[in-house]
Amino acid sequence: MVAARRPESPVYCVRPHVMERAARLFIEAFPGDSLYAVKCNPSAHVLEALSGAGIRHFDTASLPEIERVMERVPGATCYFMHPVKARSAIREAYSRHGVRFFALDHRSELDKIGEELPATREVVLVVRLEVRHSSVVYDLSGKFGASPEAARELLEEAYSRGFSVGLCFHVGSQCTDPAAYASGIERVSSALADSEIPLACLDVGGGFPGTYLDAPVEELSRYIAAIIQQVKGLNLARDCRLFCEPGRGLCEGGESVVVQVQLRRDRSVYLNDGIYGSMTEEGTGLRHRHRMLATRAFASTQSPFTAYGPTCDAIDVLPHPLELPDDIREGDWIEFGNMGAYGVACSTAFNGFSPEAFVVVENEFVAAGPTLTRDD
Ligand SMILES: *Cc1c(COP(=O)(O)O)cnc(C)c1O
């Protein structure tokens, strides 16, 4: 790709086969439906790869996301899992897109939905529980979620108004400890206590981790085993559906980004992509693996370099130095792997830089160098 294009702006290398592999893994191992969390990467090629591999259910958080999925994936089912929604979005999702599952975590949202939708058992109101665990990079407790007591009241109220009900939680993104799901399911257990209300669904959320330099992670199967084990103890009704909502776990390996060095100054390089582009997550603590693209022979010795992004803002710099060949120079290309999650989805067009080239490649991304640990 680099030899053919010699790209001077960032190019996303798309690996549909990696996303298909991840999708098959979830479909085979998870004993319920895997809902793809669309916000993670709403690109058409991602929806296509995942649906091609059998993903039919989508965790959506806005009307535009729902419209996008319904336009591109025949036979898709969307779930409206944002606990705070516009009234018009609730109505449109229900009447135009057939959405029947709606998340909430507060009485006020229950009243809102109650005013906008018919109270029938066909509509499932999914109460989101607050969960807290130290092993996630993004902790969403505080912003979303009801306590088990409040959740119990919401369940009872929604059910008595004529809706079906479910429970959900989301441990947060890039969860490095399967025990976080077990503790989420314990919260489910205390919300249910000895309730007689039949749950239509239990949704254990997303958070399944990707592979980054500083995040040694366990196999997906360990996470699913922890979930299965803990769910068994709940004695759910046979027709209670089990959902998970992987975003990162499905698409992180599906894209890498090839960037070019535009200038070298001492031990700094200026790249054509950065914090305002594909690499927002570097700013929140994740470190993407990288490799040099072999367009020439590089020095065998490496040193840490400061890597600046292309915008005029001083915060547009990777927080950690990059190990690069000592003779790196203007014109060289670096490939950053595992950019499929929250890369292009979070990128901005600040200063006129926005990644827009996508090329399908068939190889695997193999990072150079040793894996660093969090202490490095
Ligand atoms: C973002 C989000 C997800 C997906 O999270 P990942 O860490 O990408 O798996 C799933 N569920 C909810 C409610 C979310 O907000």
Side-chain angles (χ1 to χ4, degrees), residues 147-228:
S147 68
E149 300 72 40
R152 170 66 172 258
E153 282 171 22
L154 287 168
L155 284 180
E156 282 171 356
E157 179 67 25
Y159 193 76
S160 73
R161 288 191 194 184
F163 293 105
S164 289
V165 292
L167 279 171
C168 69
F169 61 85
H170 176 48
V171 295
S173 207
Q174 187 63 13
C175 174
T176 53
D177 183 1
Y181 294 85
S183 82
I185 295 165
E186 275 170 24
R187 307 272 285 177
V188 168
S189 173
S190 50
L192 289 175
D194 37 28
S195 164
E196 300 285 293
I197 296 175
L199 276 196
C201 71
L202 169 61
D203 181 344
V204 300
F208 305 94
T211 316
Y212 303 90
L213 265 184
D214 48 351
V217 293
E218 312 227 17
E219 296 281 315
L220 176 65
S221 58
R222 299 278 307 275
Y223 287 78
I224 294 180
I227 292 166
I228 293 174

Side-chain angles (χ1 to χ4, degrees), residues 31-328:
D33 291 312
S34 300
L35 284 46
Y36 171 54
V38 174
K39 76 167 186 282
C40 189
N41 190 332
S43 303
H45 62 259
V46 173
L47 297 178
E48 207 171 283
L50 295 177
S51 60
I55 298 286
R56 288 285 173 277
H57 303 270
F58 296 85
D59 161 19
T60 47
S62 66
L63 195 59
E65 280 187 358
I66 294 171
E67 288 167 347
R68 204 177 160 76
V69 169
M70 298 311 284
E71 265 168 35
R72 286 179 171 77
V73 185
T77 306
C78 287
Y79 300 70
F80 207 154
M81 299 309 284
H82 196 307
V84 184
K85 296 166 285 298
R87 286 175 182 267
S88 54
I90 295 169
R91 287 193 303 268
E92 295 254 312
Y94 176 85
S95 58
R96 299 195 30 186
H97 302 292
V99 175
R100 292 297 179 265
F101 291 75
F102 297 82
L104 60 95
D105 65 0
H106 192 271
R107 177 66 184 246
S108 167
E109 189 76 3
L110 172 57
D111 291 341
K112 191 199 292 175
I113 296 172
E115 284 161 23
E116 300 300 333
L117 300 185
T120 72
R121 300 281 180 227
E122 244 196 43
V123 175
V124 185
L125 301 191
V126 190
V127 177
R128 176 144 162 192
L129 278 164
E130 185 187 39
V131 291
R132 220 180 274 265
H133 208 270
S134 57
S135 61
V136 293
V137 171
Y138 301 86
D139 180 4
L140 300 172
S141 65
K143 180 160 182 178
F144 296 123
S147 68
E149 300 72 40
R152 170 66 172 258
E153 282 171 22
L154 287 168
L155 284 180
E156 282 171 356
E157 179 67 25
Y159 193 76
S160 73
R161 288 191 194 184
F163 293 105
S164 289
V165 292
L167 279 171
C168 69
F169 61 85
H170 176 48
V171 295
S173 207
Q174 187 63 13
C175 174
T176 53
D177 183 1
Y181 294 85
S183 82
I185 295 165
E186 275 170 24
R187 307 272 285 177
V188 168
S189 173
S190 50
L192 289 175
D194 37 28
S195 164
E196 300 285 293
I197 296 175
L199 276 196
C201 71
L202 169 61
D203 181 344
V204 300
F208 305 94
T211 316
Y212 303 90
L213 265 184
D214 48 351
V217 293
E218 312 227 17
E219 296 281 315
L220 176 65
S221 58
R222 299 278 307 275
Y223 287 78
I224 294 180
I227 292 166
I228 293 174
Q229 166 81 16
Q230 200 74 23
V231 166
K232 269 189 198 145
L234 288 178
N235 288 322
L236 296 172
R238 275 181 51 129
D239 58 355
C240 174
R241 294 173 64 193
L242 187 62
F243 300 142
C244 65
E245 304 171 336
R248 189 187 303 278
L250 283 173
C251 62
E252 53 111 19
E255 289 172 359
S256 62
V257 67
V258 170
V259 310
Q260 192 177 34
V261 177
Q262 295 187 305
L263 186 118
R264 171 177 177 176
R265 190 172 71 184
D266 303 324
R267 291 284 165 196
S268 296
V269 288
Y270 291 72
L271 307 177
N272 58 3
D273 199 355
I275 294 292
Y276 285 96
S278 322
M279 303 186 192
T280 34
E281 287 212 299
E282 291 276 334
T284 55
L286 292 182
R287 296 169 66 187
H288 294 86
R289 300 175 302 154
H290 70 277
R291 65 176 170 186
M292 295 303 300
L293 290 173
T295 47
R296 64 184 181 89
F298 296 105
S300 57
T301 53
Q302 300 206 335
S303 304
F305 282 79
T306 302
Y308 291 105
T311 69
C312 299
D313 191 341
I315 69 161
D316 193 3
V317 56
L318 300 191
H320 300 279
L322 283 184
E323 284 293 321
L324 295 171
D326 280 321
D327 64 344
I328 191 159

